[in-house]
Amino acid sequence: MGIRNQNEFLFFVENIGNLLHEDVYELDYMKYHHPAGYICYEGKTIDIVFTHYKSFEDGRKKWIERMKRVDLNHIYVLYEGPHVSEEFLERFSMLPYKKAVLSSYNESVEYSFYHGYHFYKDWKFGKILEYKSLLSVKRFLDDFDYVAFFND
């Protein structure tokens, strides 16, 4: 389950307090290879892909259940994806939450929450959860100290 467009993701996080109670509507086209829905807020649309659900209704039900559990005083934002723009990083830096961006390696980026990795050259959704090689017990996520991120 997730938001695949980085600008929609950022808009969602920036407005999460207002979006917790918004309903999710079914997308009536096959833009994605999984059931999907959308939320509308302030004239913007946020697509939500229900990757591990058999139907839109199953995904919608779980989304609503999870949104009810969100505690706005304990939010951690972890964005993972390739090629983030300076505008995205600037907006991300304004978020009032503990945050991190895992993205393509770019040594000119100087935000403390930015972590650039070389493995993003062959990036695809979910790559961070893949094992580094056929015989490895390490995942790409292990390059990021997520335990310290949550416990800091």
Side-chain angles (χ1 to χ4, degrees), residues 3 5-15 18-19 22-25 27 29 31 37-48 87 91:
I3 300 169
N5 178 289
Q6 66 179 235
N7 291 317
E8 291 176 15
F9 172 81
L10 193 52
F11 181 76
F12 176 80
V13 175
E14 289 168 335
N15 296 283
N18 298 316
L19 291 167
E22 292 295 319
D23 202 357
V24 180
Y25 303 96
L27 284 173
Y29 57 91
K31 181 176 179 179
Y38 66 94
I39 298 172
C40 285
Y41 182 72
E42 292 187 351
K44 297 191 182 204
T45 301
I46 302 165
D47 289 1
I48 304 163
E87 177 190 351
R91 282 177 60 198

Side-chain angles (χ1 to χ4, degrees), residues 83-86 89-90 101 103-116:
H83 315 297
V84 290
S85 67
E86 182 63 35
L89 292 170
E90 183 61 34
V101 169
S103 191
S104 305
Y105 183 73
N106 182 344
E107 62 187 35
S108 66
V109 175
E110 296 186 16
Y111 292 97
S112 61
F113 57 82
Y114 179 84
H115 306 275

Side-chain angles (χ1 to χ4, degrees), residues 25-138:
Y25 303 96
E26 187 170 12
L27 284 173
D28 59 354
Y29 57 91
M30 290 303 296
K31 181 176 179 179
Y32 305 101
H33 298 290
H34 305 283
Y38 66 94
I39 298 172
C40 285
Y41 182 72
E42 292 187 351
K44 297 191 182 204
T45 301
I46 302 165
D47 289 1
I48 304 163
V49 181
F50 302 118
T51 306
H52 303 287
Y53 296 89
K54 291 182 180 181
S55 70
F56 165 75
E57 277 306 319
D58 288 346
R60 178 182 172 272
K61 180 179 173 186
K62 187 54 90 171
W63 177 267
I64 290 170
E65 178 185 312
R66 288 178 177 172
M67 290 299 103
K68 288 178 182 177
R69 295 191 324 240
V70 171
D71 179 349
L72 294 172
N73 295 313
H74 294 93
I75 291 183
Y76 296 82
V77 181
L78 181 63
Y79 176 80
E80 182 251 340
H83 315 297
V84 290
S85 67
E86 182 63 35
E87 177 190 351
F88 176 88
L89 292 170
E90 183 61 34
R91 282 177 60 198
F92 201 88
S93 73
M94 307 287 258
L95 294 175
Y97 310 115
K98 175 85 175 183
K99 56 192 163 279
V101 169
L102 311 180
S103 191
S104 305
Y105 183 73
N106 182 344
E107 62 187 35
S108 66
V109 175
E110 296 186 16
Y111 292 97
S112 61
F113 57 82
Y114 179 84
H115 306 275
Y117 297 103
H118 293 285
F119 70 80
Y120 280 96
K121 67 180 179 176
D122 299 322
W123 183 85
K124 64 182 183 224
F125 285 105
K127 175 146 185 167
I128 198 163
L129 299 175
E130 288 183 358
Y131 291 99
K132 291 182 168 196
S133 71
L134 189 58
L135 301 174
S136 179
V137 295
K138 295 270 188 181

